[in-house]
Amino acid sequence: MSGEIFPDFSGQGGKKVKGFEKVLDILSKILMWICAFLMLAMVLIVFIEVIRRYALHLTWPWSEELVRYMIVYATFLGGPAAYRMGALTCFDLVVLKMPTKTQNILKYVVNTIIIALCVLILKYSLVVVQSPAIHLMKSAGLKFSMSIPYASIPIGMILMIIFGIEQYFIIHKKIKESNVELEGGQPC
């Protein structure tokens, strides 16, 4: 089997699925670069602000607020990228002792719960972002609409849902591979 995630579909549908995988690869890399940029910018802003505050006795009124919003965006953009790479914390002590087929079914159930939770958070976060109380509220230092920092939540949830859908293909491939192993006479 090849190292590709999506099952091999024949015809035009297969090309579309492979194209979708490439788009997700690019999206994941873009998210990682954005997070790296945000982390670098946060470090630089805080470093410069410390120098300005203690050496020059000057301060930017917006720096703390900007760094705070950058942390929020790094979290909600980095989370989906980490989810796609399988880099999130996982308590798998018990799961690893289960048969492969049971592990894959459990992954399928967990992925479904994750997507359902993301859909729920997306639904309510869109209500909050679009509410006049948030949309009309201005940030203290930067003076822009508070819907901008709050928008990180629905953006992150949409990305998690997209990568969660991709996980179904990965799980499907693992189930298919474990069935091939069983047919070949190898133990689970």
Side-chain angles (χ1 to χ4, degrees), residues 19 29 69 75 114 162 183:
K29 286 179 184 174
Y69 298 148
T75 300
I114 289 170
I162 291 169
E183 291 172 7

Side-chain angles (χ1 to χ4, degrees), residues 69-87:
Y69 298 148
M70 292 170 103
I71 289 170
V72 171
Y73 266 92
T75 300
F76 282 102
L77 295 178
Y83 179 61
R84 183 169 195 259
M85 295 180 343

Side-chain angles (χ1 to χ4, degrees), residues 7 13 29 36 45 73 90 163:
K29 286 179 184 174
I45 291 169
Y73 266 92
C90 179
F163 291 145

Side-chain angles (χ1 to χ4, degrees), residues 1-187:
M1 290 215 121
S2 66
E4 296 170 342
I5 293 172
F6 295 101
D8 186 23
F9 296 110
S10 59
Q12 291 288 60
K15 290 180 184 177
K16 289 179 186 175
V17 170
K18 300 300 179 198
F20 182 64
E21 181 181 1
K22 288 180 183 179
V23 167
L24 292 182
D25 287 341
I26 292 168
L27 179 60
S28 183
K29 286 179 184 174
I30 289 171
L31 290 174
M32 288 188 283
W33 277 105
I34 289 171
C35 288
F37 170 76
L38 289 172
M39 297 299 277
L40 177 65
M42 284 187 284
V43 169
L44 290 175
I45 291 169
V46 169
F47 179 75
I48 291 169
E49 184 61 18
V50 167
I51 300 296
R52 285 176 49 90
R53 184 172 293 169
Y54 292 107
L56 305 174
H57 302 291
L58 299 171
T59 184
W60 287 321
W62 49 264
S63 63
E64 274 185 57
E65 186 176 357
L66 179 61
V67 169
R68 202 174 315 132
Y69 298 148
M70 292 170 103
I71 289 170
V72 171
Y73 266 92
T75 300
F76 282 102
L77 295 178
Y83 179 61
R84 183 169 195 259
M85 295 180 343
L88 296 177
T89 303
C90 179
F91 300 105
D92 56 359
L93 182 66
V94 175
V95 175
L96 290 177
K97 300 205 182 290
M98 296 178 180
T100 306
K101 191 171 186 177
T102 306
Q103 288 179 25
N104 291 328
I105 292 169
L106 189 57
K107 287 176 187 176
Y108 189 86
V109 170
V110 168
N111 194 58
T112 302
I113 292 169
I114 289 170
I115 290 176
L117 183 61
C118 288
V119 167
L120 186 67
I121 294 171
L122 174 63
K123 176 185 173 188
Y124 289 107
S125 66
L126 285 172
V127 170
V128 170
V129 170
Q130 294 173 350
S131 73
I134 298 299
H135 186 68
L136 298 174
M137 185 188 312
K138 301 290 181 194
S139 65
L142 295 169
K143 306 292 185 214
F144 57 70
S145 172
M146 286 302 292
S147 60
I148 294 172
Y150 277 88
S152 65
I153 302 169
I155 292 169
M157 292 304 108
I158 289 169
L159 292 168
M160 284 288 286
I161 292 166
I162 291 169
F163 291 145
I165 292 168
E166 179 192 28
Q167 288 296 315
Y168 283 125
F169 288 103
I170 295 169
I171 295 165
H172 173 75
K173 181 180 176 185
K174 287 180 181 179
I175 289 172
K176 190 175 178 183
E177 287 173 353
S178 69
N179 287 340
V180 169
E181 288 176 7
L182 289 175
E183 291 172 7
Q186 298 175 2

